[in-house]
Amino acid sequence: MSSTIKPATKFIHAGAAPDPSTGAIMTPIYQTSTYVQEAPGKNKGYEYARSQNPTRKALEDALAVIENGKYGLAFSSGVAATDAVIKLLQPGDEVIAGNDMYGGTYRLFTKIFEKFGIKFHYVNMQEVQHIKAAITPHTRLIWTETPTNPLMNITDIAAVAALAKTNNILLCVDNTFASPYLQNPLDLGADIVMHSSTKYLGGHSDTIQGALVMNDTDLRDKLYFIQKSCGAVPGPMDCFLVLRGIKTLHVRMKEHCANGIVIAQWLRKHPKIGKVYWPGFEDHPGYAIAKKQMRGFGGMISFELKDDSIEAAIRVLSSTKLFSLAESLGGVESLINHPASMTHASIPKAERVKNGLSDSLIRLSVGIEDAEDLIADLGQAIG
Ligand SMILES: Cc1ncc(COP(=O)(O)O)c(C=O)c1O
């Protein structure tokens, strides 16, 4: 697909080609585990569905297109995609990761990979200097999330990419919160983009899935080898759902962004609300970088109440009617979440609090309902 193609066209047509056997405009769900071969080694390019599946192939092509990359790989979850990236490493290798990121990523690094001899350094990635200071001769990978989950901190992708290149280190960016509609890390010099496709790519809270996109053929071959050897592949129905989700990503993201602006500003003016975390505020420390590397500020917002007690937070979390209390984000419907006890419970309290994630922090995934209804719901819950 031409690189000058406009976003709406790109999202609708990414990876989509009529099915060669029938002309079906929607990619069929190839619900099969294996493929009949004419003779040993003589086949149509498909041997066994852990290694190849046409529905997954269409999705992987689409993922590459929407992230301006050459290759896409789909995984059975976002965490499985992260797991594949870390499996590129050897015992003794070191990773520099953000000190504010999705709790499940932190859990995977500390509870699974540390025991295999991989060392992780957690730094505040709002300043490139902190990353630079953590580089050692063993550093192989920089892992960053921007905006971060849940504190909405911003990392300067281009600056970190330049630092990574100079030191021959891979840079992987978790682009889940921004989605490819708002930000394309490969264009800014990252080596790998990771997504929890469960979120904005799927967009309808109906599948768990992950993605990696890259440009380098050798890197793709290594990650494909890990994908098929470790087997964390999504089923064809799930691939179909994400393919369908991608077709409306631009329409949904415009609405998420529009509602995000209205709700962030409303929260900030509310007398009972303390700090609001949203990168679209001009006084947000990452505003200038977010403006430079993103095309909008998205629908993720976190906030604290002035009554900074866990009891007050629980009252709000239990009182919303339209905002459903649930883990996850990025669906058309609004969700409310308590990171300390839900999405980030796997991070020890001392570590969480040190990095600014308080017990009373509330995270919103602002959906695409009417903003006035969402505000009325938050208003009655906050009281
Ligand atoms: C920023 C981020 N990265 C990765 C993940 C993990 O994705 P999954 O739940 O699809 O495994 C999540 C899940 O919430 C997330 O928010």
Side-chain angles (χ1 to χ4, degrees), residues 67 146 157-158 161 171-175 179-180 183-195 293:
E67 274 296 8
T146 181
I157 300 174
L171 171 63
C172 182
V173 178
D174 181 337
N175 202 26
S179 92
Q183 178 173 277
N184 299 111
L186 296 182
D187 291 349
L188 301 168
D191 299 290
I192 308 171
V193 179
M194 176 266 162
H195 279 280
Q293 68 189 17

Side-chain angles (χ1 to χ4, degrees), residues 13-68:
H13 292 277
D19 176 51
S21 58
T22 61
I25 192 162
M26 284 300 117
T27 308
I29 300 163
Y30 281 91
Q31 194 73 50
T32 187
S33 61
T34 194
Y35 309 88
V36 177
Q37 310 199 17
E38 238 177 81
K42 204 167 165 204
N43 56 59
K44 298 184 167 70
Y46 293 92
E47 295 152 316
Y48 185 58
R50 173 159 37 74
S51 308
Q52 313 99 355
N53 177 282
T55 318
R56 193 171 92 220
K57 170 81 170 65
L59 171 61
E60 290 178 336
D61 291 349
L63 292 167
V65 169
I66 65 176
E67 274 296 8
N68 299 339

Side-chain angles (χ1 to χ4, degrees), residues 11 63 66-68 82 143-149 154-155 157 172-188 190 192-197 199-201 211-213 249 253 293-296 300 329:
F11 290 117
L63 292 167
I66 65 176
E67 274 296 8
N68 299 339
T82 305
W143 181 278
T144 190
E145 212 179 273
T146 181
T148 58
N149 180 1
I154 302 293
T155 305
I157 300 174
C172 182
V173 178
D174 181 337
N175 202 26
T176 301
F177 264 38
S179 92
Y181 179 74
L182 297 180
Q183 178 173 277
N184 299 111
L186 296 182
D187 291 349
L188 301 168
I192 308 171
V193 179
M194 176 266 162
H195 279 280
S196 166
S197 319
K199 312 294 169 13
Y200 288 108
L201 297 187
L212 298 177
V213 183
L249 182 68
M253 287 310 295
Q293 68 189 17
M294 298 174 74
R295 292 178 282 270
M300 296 303 299
L329 59 108

Side-chain angles (χ1 to χ4, degrees), residues 7-175:
T9 316
K10 185 160 88 171
F11 290 117
I12 290 171
H13 292 277
D19 176 51
S21 58
T22 61
I25 192 162
M26 284 300 117
T27 308
I29 300 163
Y30 281 91
Q31 194 73 50
T32 187
S33 61
T34 194
Y35 309 88
V36 177
Q37 310 199 17
E38 238 177 81
K42 204 167 165 204
N43 56 59
K44 298 184 167 70
Y46 293 92
E47 295 152 316
Y48 185 58
R50 173 159 37 74
S51 308
Q52 313 99 355
N53 177 282
T55 318
R56 193 171 92 220
K57 170 81 170 65
L59 171 61
E60 290 178 336
D61 291 349
L63 292 167
V65 169
I66 65 176
E67 274 296 8
N68 299 339
K70 272 200 196 142
Y71 308 107
L73 291 170
F75 291 83
S76 55
S77 68
V79 161
T82 305
D83 173 271
V85 174
I86 306 301
K87 284 176 178 156
L88 290 167
L89 308 178
Q90 308 282 337
D93 286 350
E94 295 185 13
V95 179
I96 304 173
N99 64 358
D100 162 35
M101 60 180 182
Y102 170 57
T105 307
Y106 178 84
R107 179 176 56 201
L108 179 69
F109 291 176
T110 53
K111 295 277 167 38
I112 304 292
F113 282 111
E114 266 180 18
K115 67 175 182 244
F116 292 108
I118 295 168
K119 196 165 170 196
F120 296 87
H121 300 275
Y122 301 97
V123 305
N124 177 335
M125 294 205 159
Q126 293 170 84
E127 296 295 335
V128 182
Q129 290 312 317
H130 297 152
I131 304 175
K132 196 171 178 186
I135 294 177
T136 78
H138 305 289
T139 311
R140 298 283 172 267
L141 174 73
I142 299 173
W143 181 278
T144 190
E145 212 179 273
T146 181
T148 58
N149 180 1
L151 291 172
M152 308 304 296
N153 287 319
I154 302 293
T155 305
D156 186 337
I157 300 174
V160 180
L163 178 70
K165 288 247 151 22
T166 314
N167 291 279
N168 205 16
I169 298 168
L170 283 177
L171 171 63
C172 182
V173 178
D174 181 337
N175 202 26

